[in-house]
Amino acid sequence: EKAVNLKKDLAEMQEWMTQAEEEYLEKDFEYKSPEELENAVEEMKRAKEDVLQKEVRVKILKDNIKMLATKVPSSGQDLATELNVVLENYQLLCNRIRGKCHTLEARMIAFCLEISEVWSCWIELLQYLDLETAWLNNLEERVQMTGNLPDKLDAVNDALESLESVLRHPADNRTQIRELGQTLIDGGILDDIISEKLEAFNARYEELSHLAVSRQIALEQQLQTMRETDHMLQVLQESLGDLDRQLTSYLTDRIDAFQMPQEAQ
């Protein structure tokens, strides 16, 4: 009975994928307006979410069939073969849905950016995003390099100076990104796509900036402690050196300790 139910579930899953392919992938026509294209993009996004939500059901089927195969190898083997076909078809459907979604988004960008002023604004925004993304990558690399430093004054000092040099990055580019993004959004151009890009950039910027500043403060405290320790050791070394020279002079002059003040004894 378990095998029969699983076989039925596999058949239903395959039937659903066939219907999804017909509904989402086989219709394609020329979009006459940005509104039509935007509606198509939203429809494909919903389709992508719908398909990805089935991943849980696919996983449950896979786990149940594996469990059955351990108990009833003959039935499990037959179902495993059918499962492989379903898994391949499901992965293909996911890839095709994602591909069409990206294609429609690219069409939407091309459709909406035909106006030269908007196109220029979009390209400028992408250029600033690329510059700031490269800076964030550099900042992330410098932060990671401070994570496992040798316990040496020079190493900590060099790491701190390296991190501070990256943090002295001007805020002009980020201001341009904010203004260009807001201009496009206010104009109703690719609101969702631009908002998504800006939200991702700003989130990463805030996260890395806070992490870098925290690491900078920690390095400054560590450096201060090491300098204080180094100074204390230097003072102690000088004091011991003076004491050694004084005691050596006593020995050289053959002075009896009992002839010296209490502190010298």
Side-chain angles (χ1 to χ4, degrees), residues 147-238:
N148 199 10
L149 295 172
D151 194 20
K152 295 182 179 179
L153 188 64
D154 291 342
V156 176
N157 186 59
D158 290 344
L160 179 59
E161 289 180 355
S162 177
L163 183 59
E164 288 177 336
S165 68
V166 180
L167 285 173
R168 285 192 289 269
H169 182 68
D172 298 349
N173 289 350
R174 194 175 178 217
T175 301
Q176 290 294 324
I177 288 172
R178 183 172 58 252
E179 293 177 353
L180 289 167
Q182 194 59 51
T183 298
L184 291 169
I185 291 172
D186 290 344
I189 307 298
L190 303 174
D191 304 34
D192 292 340
I193 296 175
I194 291 175
S195 296
E196 185 178 341
K197 281 184 175 292
L198 293 181
E199 286 174 6
F201 168 79
N202 288 330
R204 187 177 182 221
Y205 180 92
E206 293 298 329
E207 180 184 1
L208 279 177
S209 296
H210 290 155
L211 179 60
V213 171
S214 298
R215 192 62 57 84
Q216 178 188 18
I217 294 173
L219 287 174
E220 288 172 347
Q221 293 173 344
Q222 182 181 0
L223 189 62
Q224 180 65 25
T225 301
M226 294 178 75
R227 283 173 174 167
E228 290 173 356
T229 302
D230 188 67
H231 177 69
M232 291 171 61
L233 289 173
Q234 185 176 357
V235 170
L236 179 60
Q237 186 174 8
E238 291 173 357

Side-chain angles (χ1 to χ4, degrees), residues 37-46 101 104-105 108:
L37 189 53
E38 184 176 4
N39 290 337
V41 170
E42 291 302 318
E43 183 181 354
M44 287 308 302
K45 285 182 177 180
R46 288 192 296 270
C101 193
L104 287 175
E105 288 177 342
M108 188 173 179

